[in-house]
Amino acid sequence: MEEFQPVIVAFCCHYCAYTAADMAGSKRLHYPANVKIIRVPCTGKVSALHMMEALRKGADGVYVAGCLEGDCHFRTGNTRATKRVAYVKKLLDEIGIGGERVEMYAMSAGMGEVFARTASEFTEKIRRLGPNPARVGRDNPGCATAACS
Amino acid sequence: MITAERKPIEDLINSVSSYRRILLLGCNECVTVCSAGGRKEVALLSSALQMHFMKEGHPFEIKEITLERQCDPEYVEELVPYIDQADAVLSMACGCGVQEVARRFKEKMVLPAVNTKFMGASERQGVWAERCAGCGDCVLGSTGGVCPIARCSKQLLNGPCGGSGKGKCEVDSDIDCAWQLIWDRLKALGMTEKYEENIPAKDWRTGRGAGPRKIVREDLAS
């Protein structure tokens, strides 16, 4: 049987995790092609709705990767993101999807290895969990919510 | 503002599970400011409900609309083109909004998605606190701008009581003693003599004591 290939959406901060992904590329480090990176100016920009809609539209897992604690370019964006990820985890548990499908990670711009390892570990975790039980959007990616239109 | 909190997701799932088409209604006023039922909260709840029912294999359609104000008939009228396409309405407005929609569309089930809490103010980002009890006869002019009706657990007009300690209330150490706040404010204003004035027993008929209230402005009323 063909191995399940999860779709992972990673919201990456321009100043750290996205640069770390670049670093991973420069160092020719391998990480799974399952991870689709969305660059954001700061993880503080990522709202609960961004994470929920990624899952509703077909992602099997979502993670937010921001700066190390105390190193946010905008001072508190990463701590705000951490709280939002915790909120979404709780919400996902409540609706029966499972909070383990979202995660928050912290890394600096120079941590290419950490980026590659995080991407691999999270992909493996989601592979073990199996497909998102609410993959409404994979066949029909149109967004029904007003906030996304 | 009127503050509210979203009901637990489990309760909301149970309340809409017997319907297939839901009109999820937000309100652009107070519940937007207190992050309970504005456009963002509507989108988030919609996303959560859709995912839950997709997982359950339950056919479920949801339409999102956020009105400018759900407590005004002019805005509620905007729902006319959409109301027949829904089996029920799930409203994220305060109790006033829910009732206005129910009054206008008598044959449509209207369900509340939030618990309306109190009239309050933002203490800081994400924290709202009760400030006014709507007693109908404001005493703030005598109490240094701190309301003893809304902010004293016992609604004492001539406090504090014996349960005030280190500026906190005996009911909960997180609650400031309203009369301590009143005293501090009167001192800052140089008006401590106000504290000595007895506030007479309150006529609660201006509040909820004489049943539901109404304001009529003859110059405006049609």
Side-chain angles (χ1 to χ4, degrees):
Chain A
M1 198 175 128
E2 200 178 322
E3 190 179 38
F4 162 55
Q5 291 298 341
V7 174
I8 310 289
V9 173
F11 292 101
C12 294
C13 163
H14 166 77
Y15 291 94
C16 50
Y18 189 81
T19 312
D22 237 8
M23 180 72 78
S26 304
K27 289 187 168 181
R28 302 286 186 267
L29 297 170
H30 173 79
Y31 66 89
N34 307 63
V35 177
K36 319 292 180 199
I37 296 175
I38 297 178
R39 182 172 64 158
V40 290
C42 172
T43 50
K45 174 64 193 157
V46 183
S47 74
L49 187 59
H50 289 121
M51 295 177 244
M52 290 293 284
E53 282 296 281
L55 289 166
R56 191 186 70 79
K57 291 165 109 179
D60 298 296
V62 172
Y63 68 86
V64 181
C67 301
L68 297 170
E69 197 180 333
D71 277 354
C72 174
H73 194 79
F74 301 98
R75 298 183 66 183
T76 55
N78 52 356
T79 50
R80 284 172 192 268
T82 303
K83 286 179 184 176
R84 288 176 196 156
V85 168
Y87 179 81
V88 172
K89 275 177 171 287
K90 185 166 174 285
L91 191 56
L92 289 171
D93 279 336
E94 286 171 337
I95 60 173
I97 302 298
E100 63 275 24
R101 288 187 184 274
V102 294
E103 213 56 74
M104 178 80 202
Y105 295 108
M107 61 193 74
S108 75
M111 296 165 89
E113 289 87 354
V114 173
F115 180 86
R117 191 171 67 239
T118 300
S120 301
E121 286 174 1
F122 188 77
T123 304
E124 275 317 302
K125 183 174 100 169
I126 299 299
R127 206 192 303 277
R128 281 196 302 277
L129 285 173
N132 171 6
R135 285 199 307 191
V136 56
R138 196 163 279 184
D139 299 326
N140 177 25
C143 182
T145 61
C148 286
S149 57
Chain B
M1 84 191 92
I2 294 174
T3 61
E5 257 184 332
R6 198 198 66 214
K7 284 177 177 284
I9 284 281
E10 188 185 354
D11 293 1
L12 296 177
I13 288 169
N14 290 337
S15 73
V16 299
S17 60
S18 57
Y19 303 101
R20 196 177 66 78
R21 300 173 306 165
I22 290 291
L23 178 56
L24 182 57
L25 275 189
C27 176
N28 215 12
E29 293 283 347
C30 313
V31 288
T32 294
V33 182
C34 68
S35 299
R39 192 168 279 113
K40 270 188 177 178
E41 299 300 320
V42 163
L44 196 59
L45 179 59
S46 168
S47 191
L49 290 175
Q50 286 181 74
M51 276 202 268
H52 171 79
F53 287 116
M54 181 54 60
K55 174 179 172 282
E56 299 295 311
H58 173 80
F60 190 73
E61 287 172 33
I62 199 158
K63 165 90 180 157
E64 301 164 27
I65 297 179
T66 298
L67 298 178
E68 193 57 35
R69 267 199 299 282
Q70 238 181 88
C71 56
D72 263 339
E74 300 93 298
Y75 296 107
V76 172
E77 205 61 25
E78 292 172 10
L79 298 176
V80 168
Y82 308 101
I83 202 82
D84 287 339
Q85 294 152 38
D87 302 324
V89 175
L90 182 60
S91 168
M92 299 195 85
C94 71
C96 310
V98 174
Q99 290 182 66
E100 190 51 35
V101 175
R103 186 196 64 79
R104 172 61 182 82
F105 303 106
K106 291 187 169 50
E107 288 165 12
K108 192 65 63 181
M109 187 65 187
V110 184
L111 303 157
V114 303
N115 291 322
T116 307
K117 304 292 249 189
F118 49 77
M119 283 183 276
S122 304
E123 277 195 344
R124 55 191 161 89
Q125 175 78 15
V127 179
W128 297 272
E130 187 160 16
R131 290 287 182 267
C132 177
C135 73
D137 184 15
C138 192
V139 297
L140 286 168
S142 307
T143 57
V146 177
C147 180
I149 313 294
R151 301 178 69 177
C152 167
S153 301
K154 295 176 181 173
Q155 304 188 325
L156 292 180
L157 287 167
N158 295 284
C161 70
S164 174
K166 295 180 180 167
K168 297 293 178 184
C169 173
E170 66 177 339
V171 167
D172 188 326
S173 59
D174 285 339
I175 301 172
D176 288 324
C177 169
W179 276 97
Q180 180 70 56
L181 297 176
I182 291 168
W183 172 250
D184 293 344
R185 178 92 167 111
L186 290 175
K187 264 203 308 190
L189 291 169
M191 295 171 69
T192 49
E193 73 282 358
K194 277 271 185 197
Y195 185 72
E196 300 294 329
E197 291 173 13
N198 278 341
I199 301 176
K202 198 167 173 61
D203 182 351
W204 292 102
R205 285 173 300 183
T206 58
R208 286 281 298 147
R213 294 165 283 175
K214 196 175 272 193
I215 297 170
V216 181
R217 274 274 304 261
E218 294 294 354
D219 57 325
L220 299 174
S222 52

